């Protein structure tokens, strides 16, 4: 609340442009690095991520085999159990798929460690994207080589189930947090600005002016002025001015401050476009533009990392997307 105390030689009236600048500085882009965790503090981001991840998590995964031009479903296979029920990890298959989609969207990477027995997958352990490091050998950009590091343990690429978004071939991808830092930072800054307004009880911003330049006096004044807006004590909220040379200049609401709701609406619309939905609902458009691309990336990863070499080209995994339309009356 305490902006600045002008010395006598600085005493002047604030212009409208300066008042607007104060608000603009308050919602300026934060210097704090946007992460997957902070991005999820943005309501529209959390809504879209949870909606898409939840839609994918509820879909069962099937396994098929092509024989003589015909396709038959495989129902007895350990990998189906790992992907749909018991992963062997502390989390079940539904939440593992949910975590994969969340990591894939935000970070561009989704991982699971494949524990094999006799060359066949026995258990699948989810590994958070933030816990996976990558050592890249960029000496040969054609024959790409990389190694994962998880908790100080080196993991070969074929030991990891890796679902990647916008990858460069070196075992990592790019998520919306890295791709769209500006819009996410703006949205988070707006939330912070609104929270600060609420914390000060909607009190007006302003400037307290005095001709007393004594350092001790100014410091005491600052502390008392700050306590009036931060303390829950009724006694501390009482502020007494016993000086004839002191006055308070209220900063009027600027056009930026008065249009916060409109700004929030615009940002939410841009965020929905970012996720591939214009309505924020699990509509046909969202399924087509947001859910299906995620499903395609997961299916490709399952075929690549869970199928044995002799199975590739004959066997394949696929989500049963009929579950997406169960609530559709048609």
């Amino acid at each position: 609340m305490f902006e600045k105390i002008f010395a006598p030689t600085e005493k002047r009236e604030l212009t409208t442009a300066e008042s607007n600048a104060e608000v603009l500085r308050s919602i300026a882009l934060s210097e704090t690095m946007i992460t997957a965790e902070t991005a999820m503090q943005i309501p529209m981001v959390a809504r879209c991520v949870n909606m898409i991840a939840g839609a994918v998590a509820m879909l069962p995964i099937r396994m098929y085999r092509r024989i003589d031009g015909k396709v038959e479903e495989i129902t007895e296979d350990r990998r189906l159990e790992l992907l749909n029920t018991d992963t062997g990890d502390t989390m079940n298959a539904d939440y593992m798929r949910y975590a994969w989609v969340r990591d894939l969207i935000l970070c561009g990477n989704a991982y699971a460690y494949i524990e094999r027995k006799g060359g066949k997958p026995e258990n699948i352990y989810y590994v958070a994207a933030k816990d996976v490091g990558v050592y890249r050998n960029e000496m040969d950009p054609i024959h790409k080589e990389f190694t994962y590091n998880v908790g100080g343990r080196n993991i070969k690429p074929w030991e990891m189930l890796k679902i990647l978004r916008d990858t460069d071939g070196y075992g990592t991808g790019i998520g919306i947090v890295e791709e769209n830092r500006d819009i996410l930072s703006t949205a988070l800054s707006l939330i912070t600005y609104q929270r600060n307004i609420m914390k000060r009880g909607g009190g007006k911003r302003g400037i307290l002016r005095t001709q007393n330049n004594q350092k001790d006096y100014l410091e005491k004044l600052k502390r008392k002025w700050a306590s009036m807006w931060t303390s829950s004590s009724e006694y501390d909220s009482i502020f007494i001015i016993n000086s004839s040379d002191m006055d308070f200049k209220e900063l009027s609401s600027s056009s930026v401050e008065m249009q916060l709701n409109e700004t929030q609406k615009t940002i939410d619309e841009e965020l929905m476009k970012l996720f591939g939905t214009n309505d924020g609902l699990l509509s046909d458009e969202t399924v087509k533009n947001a859910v299906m691309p995620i499903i395609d990336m997961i299916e490709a990863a399952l075929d690549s990392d869970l199928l044995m070499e002799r199975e590739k080209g004959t066997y394949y995994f696929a989500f049963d997307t009929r579950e997406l339309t169960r609530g559709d009356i048609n």
Side-chain angles (χ1 to χ4, degrees), residues 253-299:
S253 297
S254 68
S255 57
V256 174
E257 193 170 23
M258 294 171 62
Q259 294 178 5
L260 285 179
N261 290 337
E262 189 66 28
T263 302
Q264 183 69 65
K265 181 180 178 181
T266 301
I267 291 178
D268 284 347
E269 290 174 351
E270 293 302 313
L271 289 175
M272 284 190 287
K273 293 177 183 177
L274 179 64
F275 284 95
T277 174
N278 290 330
D279 52 15
L281 302 173
L282 193 60
S283 60
D284 291 342
E285 180 185 10
T286 300
V287 170
K288 178 181 178 181
N289 298 328
V291 178
M292 293 307 297
I294 296 292
I295 288 177
D296 184 65
M297 283 184 273
I298 296 177
E299 290 176 345

Side-chain angles (χ1 to χ4, degrees), residues 189-231:
S189 296
L190 182 59
I191 293 172
T192 302
Y193 177 67
Q194 291 172 324
R195 184 181 68 236
N196 290 338
I197 292 177
M198 294 299 295
K199 287 175 66 176
R200 66 174 187 253
K204 290 291 186 180
R205 294 165 58 86
I207 295 177
L208 195 63
R209 300 183 293 192
T210 180
Q211 295 181 1
N212 192 327
N213 293 322
Q214 295 181 15
K215 184 176 180 180
D216 292 344
Y217 174 80
L218 296 180
E219 290 298 325
K220 182 178 180 181
L221 184 61
K222 287 181 182 180
R223 290 194 299 270
K224 185 61 181 177
W225 188 255
S227 70
M228 183 173 67
W229 301 104
T230 59
S231 176

Side-chain angles (χ1 to χ4, degrees), residues 34 40 55 83 87-88 95 120 154-155 163 179 188 194 209 216 224 231 243 257 268 284 287 290 300 315 319 328:
I34 291 291
M40 285 294 284
L83 295 172
T87 65
Y95 189 75
K120 297 182 179 180
N154 289 334
I155 307 294
I163 310 166
E179 269 187 346
L188 190 59
Q194 291 172 324
R209 300 183 293 192
D216 292 344
K224 185 61 181 177
S231 176
S243 177
E257 193 170 23
D268 284 347
D284 291 342
V287 170
Y315 291 77
F319 281 89
D328 193 317

Side-chain angles (χ1 to χ4, degrees), residues 79-108:
R79 288 165 290 189
L80 289 174
E81 183 179 356
L82 295 176
L83 295 172
N84 291 297
T85 54
D86 183 12
T87 65
D89 197 357
T90 54
M91 62 172 60
N92 60 39
D94 284 359
Y95 189 75
M96 181 174 288
R97 293 197 297 272
Y98 178 94
W100 281 346
V101 177
R102 180 194 60 207
D103 289 353
L104 182 62
I105 294 174
L106 296 175
C107 306

